[in-house]
Amino acid sequence: MSTRTLVSPASLARPRGRAVYWGVFTGVVLLFALAFLFPVYWMVTGAMKSPDEVARTPPTLIPENWEITGYTDAWELMDLPTHLWNTVVQAAGAWFFQIVLCTAAAYALSKLRPVFGKIILGGILATLMVPAQALVVPKYLTVADLGLLNDPLAIWLPAVANAFNLYLLKRFFDQIPRDVLEAAEIDGAGKLRILWSIVLPMSRPVLGVVSIFALVAVWQDFLWPLMVFSDTGKQPISVALVQLSQNIQLTVLIAAMVIASIPMVAMFLIFQRHIIAGISAGSTKG
């Protein structure tokens, strides 16, 4: 049975048909590439312009004088190394706790099948219907009562309770064949051994996706770190850019935004294969 497409094989067989097809295809790809890459170019080059040139109307597409002082001033004046390190510590800790605890909970609900497991899962999923803004005040009061203000634990502990990532992991674990786990049990493997040696290696795609979600959520969060970190020296980059933007030139602020976005862009470019594999992971090969 042949697959029906917009362009018939007969048209592609002719030189004119192939030329038109590839011309349209190339034009569409270039158009989408321009739509996505032009804002990045505009931001990167904006930091290399003078303050007067940035505010000029109409704007210039190419800087008249290429200057990197915006980046050097942003690195020094806004103390970006400190705030970037704070963000790395907060994101890494939230990722670690979330991977460990969400994976353990998802494995228990999927394979160990505890009593009232479906009710527990339903209660966890019900939290997704509660707006995140409604939980800010209770979370803050809890963190304040525990004396965790200005402490990375104030970021790590709330990040553990992520119902979406837990459900994503559980759905993936549900697709792992029961025969594989039963064979390991016959060989004498315990529940933890099965999780460590069989389930986790087979779950690397979805673990990669959950890791990206966990890191990006902490990296771009603004309201919660603003509330729990009153100490400027412990604030992450998302809060510091706003707090320190007063009396800072626009080019320096743009440069700081570019520097702050580099880690997330680099992480996506490095792990994009794992992200796509995790998103498309819908079945388990035997």
Side-chain angles (χ1 to χ4, degrees), residues 16-95:
R16 182 177 179 181
R18 285 197 301 270
V20 172
Y21 172 80
W22 286 109
V24 172
F25 177 79
T26 303
V28 171
V29 171
L30 291 177
L31 182 62
F32 274 92
L34 180 64
F36 283 101
L37 295 179
F38 181 75
V40 178
Y41 165 81
W42 190 257
M43 183 172 63
V44 172
T45 57
M48 298 182 179
K49 300 177 182 179
S50 63
D52 294 335
E53 188 179 358
V54 171
R56 185 182 304 173
T57 302
T60 56
L61 290 176
I62 302 176
E64 294 178 350
N65 297 311
W66 296 83
E67 302 175 356
I68 62 171
T69 54
Y71 291 100
T72 56
D73 290 344
W75 188 262
E76 296 173 0
L77 296 178
M78 302 186 74
D79 196 16
L80 291 186
T82 298
H83 298 296
L84 284 172
W85 176 248
N86 293 339
T87 310
V88 169
V89 171
Q90 295 167 21
W95 164 80

Side-chain angles (χ1 to χ4, degrees), residues 24-277:
V24 172
F25 177 79
T26 303
V28 171
V29 171
L30 291 177
L31 182 62
F32 274 92
L34 180 64
F36 283 101
L37 295 179
F38 181 75
V40 178
Y41 165 81
W42 190 257
M43 183 172 63
V44 172
T45 57
M48 298 182 179
K49 300 177 182 179
S50 63
D52 294 335
E53 188 179 358
V54 171
R56 185 182 304 173
T57 302
T60 56
L61 290 176
I62 302 176
E64 294 178 350
N65 297 311
W66 296 83
E67 302 175 356
I68 62 171
T69 54
Y71 291 100
T72 56
D73 290 344
W75 188 262
E76 296 173 0
L77 296 178
M78 302 186 74
D79 196 16
L80 291 186
T82 298
H83 298 296
L84 284 172
W85 176 248
N86 293 339
T87 310
V88 169
V89 171
Q90 295 167 21
W95 164 80
F96 174 78
F97 283 109
Q98 192 171 139
I99 285 291
V100 172
L101 297 179
C102 284
T103 300
Y107 176 70
L109 292 172
S110 175
K111 299 303 180 185
L112 302 185
R113 303 186 184 279
V115 180
F116 304 119
K118 292 184 178 181
I119 297 177
I120 295 173
L121 179 62
I124 293 173
L125 295 180
T127 61
L128 294 175
M129 295 183 288
V130 180
Q133 294 78 5
L135 301 175
V136 170
V137 174
K139 285 198 305 183
Y140 179 81
L141 294 177
T142 303
V143 168
D145 290 341
L146 294 175
L148 297 179
L149 296 178
N150 291 313
D151 193 302
L153 285 172
I155 301 294
W156 297 348
L157 297 182
V160 172
N162 192 303
F164 177 78
N165 286 343
L166 189 150
Y167 181 70
L168 193 65
L169 288 165
K170 180 189 177 301
R171 290 295 299 169
F172 189 91
F173 293 163
D174 288 343
Q175 298 173 0
I176 297 178
R178 189 70 186 175
D179 297 343
V180 177
L181 306 185
E182 290 176 352
E185 291 178 355
I186 294 174
D187 291 338
K191 301 297 183 182
L192 291 178
R193 181 68 176 179
I194 292 174
L195 173 63
W196 180 260
S197 301
I198 298 177
V199 175
L200 291 183
M202 297 176 68
S203 305
R204 277 181 291 186
V206 72
L207 290 175
V209 173
V210 170
S211 298
I212 296 296
F213 288 164
L215 292 173
V216 171
V218 176
W219 198 276
Q220 68 180 6
D221 194 11
F222 171 75
L223 178 60
W224 182 244
L226 177 65
M227 295 180 64
V228 299
F229 286 107
S230 58
D231 187 351
T232 306
K234 297 182 179 181
Q235 290 176 343
I237 191 68
S238 60
V239 177
L241 288 179
V242 178
Q243 298 286 75
L244 302 177
S245 62
Q246 310 297 329
N247 302 322
I248 292 291
Q249 291 183 350
L250 183 58
T251 54
V252 177
L253 182 59
I254 295 174
M257 293 179 179
V258 173
I259 296 173
S261 63
I262 289 176
M264 288 293 99
V265 174
M267 184 175 65
F268 174 78
L269 293 177
I270 294 173
F271 297 104
Q272 61 177 328
R273 184 176 63 180
H274 300 283
I275 297 173
I276 296 173

